[in-house]
């Protein structure tokens, strides 16, 4: 069944024309994708359930595995990203219950290109947050964490080549420096986080104002 789903999704992904691709995903796969969304050429969506609201997903992305995908309005996902959940989570009932198998991406988020997101234990990117650069990885299985999900707060910036361990994440309005390895779930808001393992470099850090993304009062 999984192989058939991937095959059908692949065939849909090579159909020319955004409208037709979305129509086929809606009709054949029963996905809830708004016609105002954009699904790029060779973007394969082969998951259990999908809700995509007025979002842009560019070419060569892969959403594969037994999980639920939600992408909210105004979000842009660049090229060549992988959102993956292995089918091993379904082989054992106890394991299956342990993992959330969800990928939620909030409003007005931006994910650049060539990132890997493991969705087995649950991944959430909250509204107005950015995953920048390339080669960041977000892992949500492989430890005994009670909650292995990775949660990125609102208005955050994740720099290039960052690694998130299971059960880790950030508060709101945080920036995570390039090459950091995040091994815990930071509750602090307005923090500059960096290092290996990552720790708080600076508190009360309003990165959008520092970078002139917002007007200074």
């Amino acid at each position: 069944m999984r192989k058939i789903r991937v095959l059908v999704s692949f065939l849909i992904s090579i159909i020319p024309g955004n409208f037709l691709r979305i129509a086929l995903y809606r009709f054949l796969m029963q996905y809830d994708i708004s016609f105002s969304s954009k699904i790029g050429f060779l973007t394969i969506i082969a998951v259990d359930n999908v809700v995509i609201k007025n979002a842009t997903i560019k070419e060569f992305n892969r959403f594969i595995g037994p999980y639920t995908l939600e992408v909210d309005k105004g979000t842009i996902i660049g090229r060549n990203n992988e959102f993956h959940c292995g089918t091993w989570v379904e082989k054992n009932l106890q394991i299956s219950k342990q993992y959330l198998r969800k990928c939620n991406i909030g409003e007005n988020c931006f994910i650049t290109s060539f990132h890997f997101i493991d969705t087995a234990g649950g991944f959430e990117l909250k509204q107005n947050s950015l995953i920048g650069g390339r080669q960041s990885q977000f892992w949500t299985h492989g430890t005994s964490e009670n909650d292995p999900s990775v949660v990125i707060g609102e208005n955050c910036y994740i720099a290039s080549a960052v690694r998130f361990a299971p059960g880790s994440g950030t508060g709101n309005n945080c920036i995570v420096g390039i090459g950091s390895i995040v091994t815990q779930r930071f509750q602090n808001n307005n923090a500059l986080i960096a290092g290996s393992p990552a720790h708080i470099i600076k508190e009360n850090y309003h990165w959008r104002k520092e970078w002139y993304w917002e007007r200074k009062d």
Side-chain angles (χ1 to χ4, degrees), residues 1-13 25 29 31 33 43-50 52 61-69 83-85 87 119:
M1 183 63 182
R2 296 292 175 195
K3 292 181 179 179
I4 293 173
R5 177 181 288 171
V6 172
L7 176 60
V8 172
S9 297
F10 171 76
L11 294 174
I12 293 172
S13 75
Y25 271 127
M29 309 292 284
Y31 292 161
I33 304 177
T43 280
I44 299 172
I45 307 175
V47 300
D48 291 339
N49 299 289
V50 173
I52 299 175
N61 289 286
R62 297 169 302 284
F63 301 85
I64 297 176
Y67 66 92
T68 296
L69 171 67
F83 299 76
H84 182 78
C85 175
T87 55
T119 60

Side-chain angles (χ1 to χ4, degrees), residues 69-99:
L69 171 67
E70 294 186 8
V71 184
D72 216 332
K73 61 184 180 181
T75 283
I76 300 173
I77 299 176
R79 298 172 177 84
N80 284 291
N81 296 289
E82 184 172 356
F83 299 76
H84 182 78
C85 175
T87 55
W88 55 268
V89 298
E90 295 182 312
K91 293 180 180 179
N92 181 290
L93 183 60
Q94 185 175 355
I95 292 176
S96 181
K97 289 180 178 180
Q98 180 182 355
Y99 292 103

